[in-house]
């Protein structure tokens, strides 16, 4: 999920080379069926096998029943949040019934968030000190880390709805923080680990194996350059043939760090900077799911809202920037130099900007947080037919074809089925 591209293109972290369709917002409809028939159905089956009397004793041989159910519920809520933050309302409470109910109703996004909170709470209550699931590629069955995953998801969901349901957001966020089961430093970052074989390697490596379709966006590059942000040298590789028109670092260190215009046909890709070289050449390079930087900046915003998070917004904000820079291998002296420009409590604009950087290459989260915060201020691609950055994805045409009554109902409730109808939590 974290490597999903649309959000990276919409938030102008990356853009495309000679085929800039997605960077021009040209794709109008997206199909969610694969999530239902693939990972979610598998998780449903794990829950079923560990719950039913006929199968639970055998399932228990592969890890404690309750721990297996807890892991499946956390992952199911994680996938559902990704989905509802793309499409909005989705079939859920009536879904997964096969031919018994081929036309399920849609649950509103507000209803889905309530379902996800219940799911995560139940999962956290089920976790115990017995064996975790065998074959757990994230944490090797370490249930204390699943507690941290569940609370990270809870914090992320709570902040997401903070403009739509402030009281629920506050209580869920504060409960997660007070549990103590949260990410406090980069050693606890939750990373998805790929394999080295062709079937399980990183999608970034696959994307660049025979093609060069993605380059760093000019928006991202110039933001880093203008702030003398040392992450410029970590987020990108030097261009092979291009040079920047306005190098600003001492000794022109940034001369070959060149961003591409969003949505332009950037046909000569060697003129621009690619994402980091190790990202696109290492088959098993991990993808961050939740990081210390992300959580510290979330807590900084919580503190700003008056939520009880244990520290003040200024401390948490600086900790978030330090965590982001350390995660990317920036030297301590460079970190200190960069953060010296921030004094006092941060503004929401400053938090949003640093979060945009902290979520570099995490497409779904960066897009969702940009929509919620309406910051940083991004200029839509001038090459787009409709010069508005999408705020949701439209349903695949098969939904209307196969489930017209419920499709018509959800459109009447949620709004026009296009890229520009704001979701329930997207209030500003």
């Amino acid at each position: 999920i974290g490597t999903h591209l649309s959000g990276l293109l919409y938030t102008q972290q990356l853009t495309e080379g000679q085929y800039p369709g997605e960077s021009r917002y040209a794709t109008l409809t997206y199909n969610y069926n694969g999530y239902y028939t693939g990972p979610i159905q598998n998780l449903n089956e794990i829950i079923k096998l560990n719950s039913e009397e006929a199968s639970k004793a055998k399932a228990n041989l592969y890890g404690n029943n309750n721990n297996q159910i807890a892991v499946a519920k956390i992952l199911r809520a994680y996938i559902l949040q990704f989905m509802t933050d793309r499409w909005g309302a989705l079939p859920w409470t009536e879904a997964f019934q096969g031919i018994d109910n081929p036309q399920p109703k849609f649950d509103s996004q507000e209803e889905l968030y309530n379902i996800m909170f219940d799911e995560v709470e139940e999962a956290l209550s089920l976790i115990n000190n017995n064996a975790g699931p065998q074959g757990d590629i994230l944490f090797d069955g370490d249930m204390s880390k699943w507690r941290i995953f569940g609370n990270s998801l809870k914090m992320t969901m709570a902040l997401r709805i903070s403009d739509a349901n402030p009281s629920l957001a506050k209580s869920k966020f504060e409960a997660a923080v007070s549990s103590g089961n949260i990410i406090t430093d980069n050693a606890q970052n939750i990373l998805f680990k790929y394999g080295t074989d062709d079937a399980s390697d990183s999608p970034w490596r696959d994307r660049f194996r025979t093609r060069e379709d993605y380059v760093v966006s000019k928006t991202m590059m110039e933001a880093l350059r203008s702030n003398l942000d040392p992450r410029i040298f970590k987020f990108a590789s030097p261009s092979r043939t291009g040079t920047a028109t306005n190098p600003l670092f001492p000794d022109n260190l940034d001369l070959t760090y060149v961003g591409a215009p969003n949505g332009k046909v950037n046909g000569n890709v060697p003129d621009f900077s690619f994402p980091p070289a190790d990202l696109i050449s290492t088959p098993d390079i991990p993808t961050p799911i939740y990081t210390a930087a992300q959580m510290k900046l979330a807590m900084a915003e919580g503190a700003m809202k008056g939520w009880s998070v244990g520290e003040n917004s200024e401390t948490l904000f600086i900790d978030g920037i330090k965590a982001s820079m350390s995660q990317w291998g920036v030297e301590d002296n460079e970190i200190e130099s960069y953060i010296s420009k921030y004094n006092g409590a941060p503004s929401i604009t400053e938090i949003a900007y640093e979060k945009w950087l902290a979520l570099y290459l995490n497409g779904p989260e960066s897009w969702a947080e940009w929509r919620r915060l309406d910051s940083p201020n991004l200029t839509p691609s001038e090459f787009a037919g409709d010069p508005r950055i999408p705020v949701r994805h439209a349903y695949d045409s098969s939904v209307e074809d196969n489930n017209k009554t419920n499709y018509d109902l959800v459109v009447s409730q949620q709004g026009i089925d296009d890229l520009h109808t704001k979701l329930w939590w997207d209030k500003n």
Side-chain angles (χ1 to χ4, degrees), residues 81-149:
Q81 190 199 11
F82 161 71
M83 291 169 64
T84 184
D85 286 357
R86 281 181 71 185
W87 286 281
L90 292 165
W92 196 257
T93 52
E94 290 188 3
F96 310 110
Q97 296 176 29
I99 58 170
D100 291 338
N101 186 7
Q103 278 105 23
K105 76 176 175 80
F106 283 68
D107 298 298
S108 71
Q109 182 169 63
E110 181 174 11
E111 290 166 335
L112 292 173
Y113 263 81
N114 289 330
I115 289 167
M116 292 187 294
F117 279 123
D118 289 345
E119 187 105 308
V120 172
E121 298 294 4
E122 188 187 348
L124 290 170
S125 73
L126 287 170
I127 292 175
N128 58 61
N129 295 324
N130 296 312
Q134 289 184 23
D136 172 7
I137 62 170
L138 272 185
F139 305 128
D140 198 26
D142 184 341
M143 296 309 298
S144 65
K145 292 182 178 175
W146 280 106
R147 277 197 185 95
I148 292 175
F149 191 123

Side-chain angles (χ1 to χ4, degrees), residues 251-267:
D251 304 321
N252 287 354
L253 282 175
D254 55 323
L255 183 65
T256 56
Y257 288 80
V258 187
N262 299 296
K264 188 176 182 182
V265 177
N266 299 303

Side-chain angles (χ1 to χ4, degrees), residues 40-315:
I40 296 171
Q41 194 69 304
N42 292 341
L43 294 167
N44 291 346
E45 191 65 17
I46 289 167
I47 293 167
K48 184 179 164 191
L49 289 171
N50 281 277
S51 304
E52 294 187 346
E53 288 303 325
S55 54
K56 64 195 274 190
K58 187 175 179 183
N60 197 63
L61 299 173
Y62 302 96
N64 175 265
N65 291 138
N66 281 356
N67 284 337
Q68 289 195 61
I69 294 168
V71 168
K73 283 181 175 286
I74 288 168
L75 288 174
R76 190 165 69 176
Y78 172 72
I79 296 168
L80 178 55
Q81 190 199 11
F82 161 71
M83 291 169 64
T84 184
D85 286 357
R86 281 181 71 185
W87 286 281
L90 292 165
W92 196 257
T93 52
E94 290 188 3
F96 310 110
Q97 296 176 29
I99 58 170
D100 291 338
N101 186 7
Q103 278 105 23
K105 76 176 175 80
F106 283 68
D107 298 298
S108 71
Q109 182 169 63
E110 181 174 11
E111 290 166 335
L112 292 173
Y113 263 81
N114 289 330
I115 289 167
M116 292 187 294
F117 279 123
D118 289 345
E119 187 105 308
V120 172
E121 298 294 4
E122 188 187 348
L124 290 170
S125 73
L126 287 170
I127 292 175
N128 58 61
N129 295 324
N130 296 312
Q134 289 184 23
D136 172 7
I137 62 170
L138 272 185
F139 305 128
D140 198 26
D142 184 341
M143 296 309 298
S144 65
K145 292 182 178 175
W146 280 106
R147 277 197 185 95
I148 292 175
F149 191 123
N151 279 295
S152 303
L153 174 57
K154 188 166 153 182
M155 288 167 71
T156 303
M157 293 193 306
L159 194 59
R160 189 84 83 242
I161 66 164
S162 55
D163 292 328
N165 189 339
S167 59
L168 181 64
K170 177 178 187 288
S171 68
K172 292 294 184 187
F173 197 94
E174 288 179 345
V177 174
S178 68
S179 77
N181 294 304
I182 61 173
I183 298 171
T184 55
D185 59 50
N186 283 327
Q188 295 174 295
N189 286 355
I190 297 173
L191 308 171
F192 184 83
K193 304 174 187 77
Y194 295 99
T196 52
D197 65 293
D198 201 32
S200 64
D201 64 344
S202 161
W204 287 111
R205 184 174 184 245
D206 291 340
R207 283 168 186 153
F208 282 87
R209 182 173 291 171
T210 58
R211 305 173 62 96
E212 296 179 332
D213 284 336
Y214 302 100
V215 287
V216 180
S217 156
K218 187 174 182 179
T219 308
M220 173 62 79
M221 200 70 89
E222 293 311 313
L224 295 166
R225 193 189 322 276
S226 62
N227 286 302
L228 296 179
D229 189 328
R231 283 172 287 192
I232 193 172
F233 306 111
K234 308 294 184 180
F235 283 10
S237 303
S239 158
R240 286 169 286 181
T241 55
T243 51
T245 54
N246 58 328
L248 296 176
F249 279 76
D251 304 321
N252 287 354
L253 282 175
D254 55 323
L255 183 65
T256 56
Y257 288 80
V258 187
N262 299 296
K264 188 176 182 182
V265 177
N266 299 303
N268 194 30
V269 287
D271 282 351
F272 305 107
S273 290
F274 289 147
D278 58 346
L279 180 80
I280 60 182
S281 63
T282 312
D284 56 348
I285 193 163
T287 289
I289 298 174
Y290 294 116
T291 64
Q294 185 179 351
M295 293 303 152
K296 291 288 186 183
L297 292 170
M299 290 168 70
E301 187 182 344
M304 215 172 97
K305 294 176 183 295
W307 297 353
S308 175
V309 295
E311 293 176 275
N312 64 42
S313 62
E314 182 180 3
T315 301

Side-chain angles (χ1 to χ4, degrees), residues 8 25-26 45 133 183 203 215 328 335 370 383 395 406 426:
L8 298 176
Y25 331 128
E45 191 65 17
I183 298 171
V215 287
W328 284 92
I335 295 175
W370 175 79
F383 304 97
Y395 302 117
N406 287 310
D426 185 3

